[in-house]
Amino acid sequence: MRDGLLDDESTVSLPKKRGAGERAPRLVPALTLISHPVTQRVGERLLLEELLAGREVPLSRKAPEFLRAGESQGTPLADPCVSRKPIVFAPGEGGRVRLRVEEGGTQVVAGEPIVGGREFGPEELASGIPLELAERVVLLLHLVEPETDGPQDSLGMVGQSPSIRRVRMHIQKVAELQEPVLIRGETGTGKELVAQAIHQHSTRRDERFVSVNLGAIPKELATAELFGVKKDAFTGATRDREGFFRAAQGGTLFLDEVGEASPEVQVMLLRVLESREMYPVGGHTPIPTNVRLVAATDANLEEQIRDGRFKAPLMHRLAGYEIRLPPLRERREDIGLLFFHFAREALEALGEAWRLEPEDPQAEPWLPAALAARLVRYSWPGNIRQLRNLTRQLVIANRGQPQLRVDPQLEKELGSGATPSGRPLRVAESLEPRAVAPDSEPRATPRRKPSDITEQELLTVLRAQAWDLKRAADHLGIPRPSIYDLIDKSPNIRTAGDLTPEEISHCYRECEGDLDAMVRRLEVSKRALRRRINELGLDS
């Protein structure tokens, strides 16, 4: 965007609960280029489909070829510091992927240097694992839905992840209709840019696009600002004012933060949607409106309806068609493309765009591999807007320097919200099962004091162990009861008991009953969440 935007051995796919006759998406392991010394190659992809057939995939400087979306011919990695001796991806049991690194070959880092080999499980593949090769190239090992259609119109949006492709598809389906559209997504995901894309591809494209942030208008002025004012309607109204609805006549009116609308504004919006007429403040004659309404919110409107703060009929009328925008952490394969998109904009403004096109193929990458991997691992609570701002700050702070460097403040910011690189991974000493001597016993985790464990470490281990509290306690080396105490004392960690029935029901529908997906999204104990689901009768 201009401002942006596995359990089965034979399929390597995450199980999902589907309706009768509905086919689950086919997921394939893939490698996506997040960073490369030749920045134009960022976003190219290699599908590891051979793994699904039980075959290995060797990866070296010379082969295989990475392809850009919609193209049939590609290019191998071709970086002179990547070894000709291949690293090897191999299928593992239960949808796992194994990585074998030979001594003297390319150095591979996945949070820590890989020696010999490593095995990645379904949860790690679903999150995405950044792999640093030779301190120059960063690949994301993850799962993708293979593209079955041809090249898409980008609609001004940066990215090729399945989630952003679905957003484009929704825009193309609804743009030429007159239905009101409700765009939902976290702050910073690019909701206004989606609204602009809807307008630009509609029959109203030659008319005005008017954007209004309801959260920025004082509530006592919102009615007048939206619907206009008749002269002498109140003290100080010395002339007629048309308001945003009349300003957008014939075009599109975008209402951002619609969840902030006052009860009075909600009533009038509902009237406009139902009758296509409005009354300006102080007016008694209805004025016909011809406006395409697109609204957006990051609020939980269902919760606001339950609390009496938002009118259910208005939400249903606004959501003639609903588009949900994914958070950046759910489209990590797009982070490289987005970063270099914003970096190019910032460098062009400084007259240094040449930094993204080095003449020497062996020159150090402008974006160090370790920094690129940290960008992928970071959780991005501010989404695309935060990535854009951080990119600009990096570019300006390193103006004139041959490489980007992170200052201590940014280092702290990137570290505080970082997720584990693929989460703690089991190092494979051998890629074949190793026999254990009859009298040998597994080495016990050293016991620790619960007070020595930080909230960040606790959260990291809980995520790595898929919120299995017993496994997490064993991994941390503390008694199981102690992990309950630590969770209770951690303000940023919730329990299944903290979730509202509406939140659980909504997540159940969104995840189509897939308990593992719900655990990843809600970040609570799987066992406790299953119990809450049963109590609510959702499984029935």
Side-chain angles (χ1 to χ4, degrees):
M1 299 182 186
R2 287 194 305 254
D3 265 353
L5 242 146
L6 294 165
D7 284 339
D8 183 87
E9 293 183 30
S10 62
T11 62
V12 196
S13 61
L14 290 169
K16 287 198 174 185
K17 192 171 181 178
R18 298 272 159 180
E22 193 175 356
R23 186 174 297 176
R26 176 173 172 263
L27 298 177
V28 176
L31 294 168
T32 296
L33 270 169
I34 298 295
S35 181
H36 191 282
V38 181
T39 58
Q40 293 86 345
R41 300 202 51 193
V42 171
E44 293 180 9
R45 178 170 294 167
L46 170 67
L47 293 180
L48 303 176
E49 293 194 273
E50 291 91 339
L51 300 183
L52 305 186
R55 297 192 297 270
E56 296 183 345
V57 179
L59 174 67
S60 70
R61 179 197 311 177
K62 297 283 189 179
E65 294 183 345
F66 284 73
L67 300 173
R68 190 163 293 281
E71 297 183 357
S72 57
Q73 290 187 332
T75 310
L77 286 177
D79 185 83
C81 295
V82 174
S83 175
R84 292 185 178 88
K85 184 183 293 186
I87 60 175
V88 178
F89 294 88
E93 296 181 357
R96 293 175 172 81
V97 172
R98 292 172 172 179
L99 172 59
R100 188 166 65 246
V101 180
E102 295 189 28
E103 186 176 353
T106 299
Q107 176 191 2
V108 181
V109 174
E112 61 183 15
I114 295 178
V115 178
R118 186 168 289 184
E119 185 173 72
F120 304 98
E123 293 286 337
E124 296 153 341
L125 292 168
S127 297
I129 304 123
L131 304 174
E132 303 168 44
L133 273 57
E135 299 183 346
R136 292 173 59 83
V137 175
V138 177
L139 300 170
L140 184 69
L141 174 62
H142 62 125
L143 299 174
V144 300
E145 300 172 26
E147 297 165 15
T148 56
D149 50 0
Q152 270 189 333
D153 183 346
S154 72
L155 304 183
M157 301 178 190
V158 175
Q160 288 298 328
S161 61
S163 56
I164 206 65
R165 290 176 66 86
R166 281 192 288 270
V167 169
R168 292 191 187 109
M169 177 195 69
H170 286 304
I171 293 171
Q172 290 168 331
K173 284 184 175 181
V174 77
E176 293 190 356
L177 306 179
Q178 300 305 314
E179 286 288 319
V181 178
L182 178 62
I183 305 169
R184 303 182 75 163
E186 296 178 8
T187 181
T189 49
K191 294 185 284 294
E192 181 168 354
L193 293 167
V194 171
Q196 290 174 344
I198 291 171
H199 174 73
Q200 290 298 328
H201 291 79
S202 74
T203 56
R204 299 170 180 262
R205 64 180 66 90
D206 295 328
E207 303 296 336
R208 293 188 67 185
F209 174 89
V210 177
S211 176
V212 182
N213 186 334
L214 290 179
I217 302 176
K219 293 187 183 297
E220 60 274 13
L221 299 179
T223 304
E225 293 288 340
L226 285 171
F227 305 106
V229 179
K230 295 296 289 184
K231 181 181 177 182
D232 298 326
F234 51 77
T235 303
T238 58
R239 58 185 176 84
D240 288 350
R241 290 176 53 194
E242 64 176 8
F244 290 120
F245 263 91
R246 294 186 69 183
Q249 191 77 346
T252 301
L253 178 61
F254 173 59
L255 298 180
D256 198 5
E257 295 192 35
V258 72
E260 300 294 320
S262 67
E264 295 77 17
V265 169
Q266 291 180 42
V267 169
M268 297 186 76
L269 284 175
L270 186 57
R271 181 187 297 154
V272 170
L273 286 165
E274 290 179 340
S275 67
R276 292 196 168 275
E277 293 180 337
M278 69 173 187
Y279 289 83
V281 175
H284 304 287
T285 304
I287 298 175
T289 62
N290 175 22
V291 171
R292 170 76 174 282
L293 200 61
V294 179
T297 184
D298 61 359
N300 186 333
L301 294 184
E302 291 79 7
E303 183 178 309
Q304 291 190 3
I305 289 170
R306 187 184 68 250
D307 296 341
R309 292 180 287 132
F310 204 84
K311 297 185 179 300
L314 176 58
M315 187 191 79
H316 299 316
R317 291 306 298 264
L318 288 172
Y321 195 87
E322 188 170 304
I323 299 177
R324 290 183 178 268
L325 299 190
L328 188 54
R329 61 184 174 275
E330 292 181 7
R331 45 181 294 216
R332 295 183 188 275
E333 61 264 49
D334 291 337
I335 288 175
L337 285 168
L338 287 163
F339 176 86
F340 282 105
H341 171 76
F342 295 135
R344 184 171 294 278
E345 288 183 341
L347 287 168
E348 285 175 350
L350 296 173
E352 296 186 8
W354 54 270
R355 293 193 179 279
L356 298 181
E357 300 169 1
E359 297 180 0
D360 181 2
Q362 298 194 40
E364 289 296 313
W366 179 72
L367 173 62
L371 176 54
R374 291 180 69 181
L375 295 175
V376 176
R377 289 195 298 268
Y378 185 62
S379 59
W380 297 109
N383 292 294
I384 294 172
R385 183 185 297 123
Q386 184 185 9
L387 174 60
R388 179 197 62 196
N389 294 341
L390 184 142
T391 303
R392 291 175 177 173
Q393 185 164 341
L394 275 171
V395 169
I396 294 171
N398 289 274
R399 186 177 183 183
Q401 299 300 314
Q403 263 193 319
L404 294 178
R405 291 288 184 268
V406 182
D407 64 35
Q409 182 178 348
L410 275 180
E411 179 127 22
K412 184 178 179 181
E413 180 181 347
L414 286 173
S416 62
T419 56
S421 179
R423 302 186 180 126
L425 307 175
R426 178 168 64 85
V427 177
E429 294 178 1
S430 168
L431 296 183
E432 296 299 328
R434 187 160 59 98
V436 180
D439 57 347
S440 66
E441 295 182 2
R443 197 179 308 169
T445 303
R447 307 311 288 175
R448 300 173 62 190
K449 293 181 180 179
S451 58
D452 292 339
I453 295 169
T454 65
E455 181 181 354
Q456 184 59 46
E457 182 184 6
L458 174 62
L459 184 58
T460 297
V461 172
L462 285 168
R463 286 171 173 161
Q465 302 300 331
W467 293 86
D468 184 311
L469 302 190
K470 182 179 185 305
R471 291 208 316 256
D474 292 342
H475 186 90
L476 290 166
I478 60 176
R480 187 174 178 182
S482 298
I483 202 166
Y484 293 110
D485 295 337
L486 288 174
I487 290 173
D488 287 340
K489 294 174 183 176
S490 300
N492 297 316
I493 299 179
R494 299 189 298 176
T495 67
D498 296 327
L499 304 174
T500 65
E502 290 75 15
E503 189 174 5
I504 296 172
S505 300
H506 179 72
C507 186
Y508 187 90
R509 292 192 300 272
E510 287 286 303
C511 297
E512 299 175 320
D514 181 350
L515 184 60
D516 291 326
M518 292 181 69
V519 168
R520 287 196 300 275
R521 180 174 295 192
L522 298 172
E523 295 200 323
V524 294
S525 161
K526 184 175 182 178
R527 179 178 297 179
L529 181 59
R530 184 188 291 114
R531 185 166 57 248
R532 290 293 309 276
I533 289 172
N534 291 338
E535 290 171 355
L536 295 171
L538 294 175
D539 267 343
S540 63

